[in-house]
Amino acid sequence: MVRNRVLALAAVLSVLVASPALAQRAGDIIGGVSGGATVGDLFGGSVNTDSRWGGTAGLFAGWRTFRNSVVALEANWVQKGGKGIRLDYIEIPLLVGGVVPAYGGDLRLRGYIGIDLAFKIGCESEVALLDCDRAESTEWSMPFGVMAGRWLDSGRFIALDVRYALGLSDAFETSIPYNRSWQFRLLIGGPLRGTR
């Protein structure tokens, strides 16, 4: 059932990505690096952990499909889990959203939603019921969030991003907890093609 929901969402996002393609004009492409903190827990079935803090870092590329719409692809290292459980993933989120200028055009606000496939690269668990040997090797989630950024005089941009990632698939084979995490990131980048 979860797999069917994931496939349906992926199909919708594929249609949006296929339309004509984060800068000022359609077709412009930007890229950069990101880093920050995460706070998350595991929830579902008989499992409800307290939250734990972690880190995140990654690379991103985004392109403007229309005047105010953006498609972005990222590759991120993200720590998830809950109290007593640390799960490390490499995530590949595909995001779609819109950008609007604010405060006379200096500040840009972006809202987005997407689909995320994560590959487990590490696990540490002090919880007997959630053994690392039973942690799933892949995970699907739905990230959504808001970003505020501005272009600098140097031609680069800086942005703050707040994202919530809602788990769509089980994190462990023997139980049904889902990862839920907040991600707070700083992004720095610039144009890869086109102008700002």
Side-chain angles (χ1 to χ4, degrees):
M1 185 167 151
V2 169
R3 183 169 286 162
N4 290 341
R5 283 186 254 162
V6 169
L7 291 174
L9 184 57
V12 169
L13 291 174
S14 296
V15 169
L16 292 171
V17 171
S19 41
L22 212 354
Q24 289 288 75
R25 301 172 305 176
D28 284 355
I29 300 175
I30 65 164
V33 297
S34 66
T38 65
V39 62
D41 64 4
L42 289 163
F43 179 81
S46 61
V47 176
N48 186 6
T49 68
D50 288 334
S51 299
R52 73 172 303 278
W53 284 91
T56 181
L59 304 170
F60 65 90
W63 58 99
R64 195 177 282 278
T65 56
F66 293 105
R67 179 182 164 115
N68 290 344
S69 63
V70 175
V71 175
L73 185 63
E74 300 178 357
N76 301 318
W77 160 74
V78 177
Q79 290 182 327
K80 293 185 179 180
K83 186 173 183 181
I85 305 160
R86 174 179 152 178
L87 293 162
D88 289 87
Y89 295 95
I90 296 295
E91 293 185 337
I92 312 294
L94 175 63
L95 308 168
V96 296
V99 176
V100 294
Y103 297 106
D106 288 341
L107 181 69
R108 288 177 176 75
L109 301 176
R110 174 180 163 222
Y112 60 86
I113 189 168
I115 188 76
D116 184 357
L117 175 59
F119 301 92
K120 180 178 65 82
I121 59 170
C123 177
E124 294 176 15
S125 179
E126 301 169 0
V127 180
L129 295 175
L130 301 176
D131 187 334
C132 282
D133 291 338
R134 292 179 169 77
E136 294 283 0
S137 60
T138 59
E139 176 193 60
W140 289 95
S141 63
M142 180 186 301
F144 53 93
V146 63
M147 180 185 302
R150 70 180 309 246
W151 286 95
L152 306 174
D153 292 338
S154 64
R156 301 279 180 213
F157 71 87
I158 188 166
L160 294 174
D161 179 55
V162 177
R163 173 180 300 178
Y164 184 74
L166 177 65
L168 298 176
S169 61
D170 298 346
F172 289 84
E173 296 172 1
T174 55
S175 56
I176 56 170
Y178 298 94
N179 272 306
R180 303 184 298 186
S181 75
W182 284 97
Q183 300 174 19
F184 308 96
R185 306 182 311 149
L186 176 68
L187 290 82
I188 300 171
L192 299 177
R193 186 185 79 193
T195 60
R196 71 181 183 101

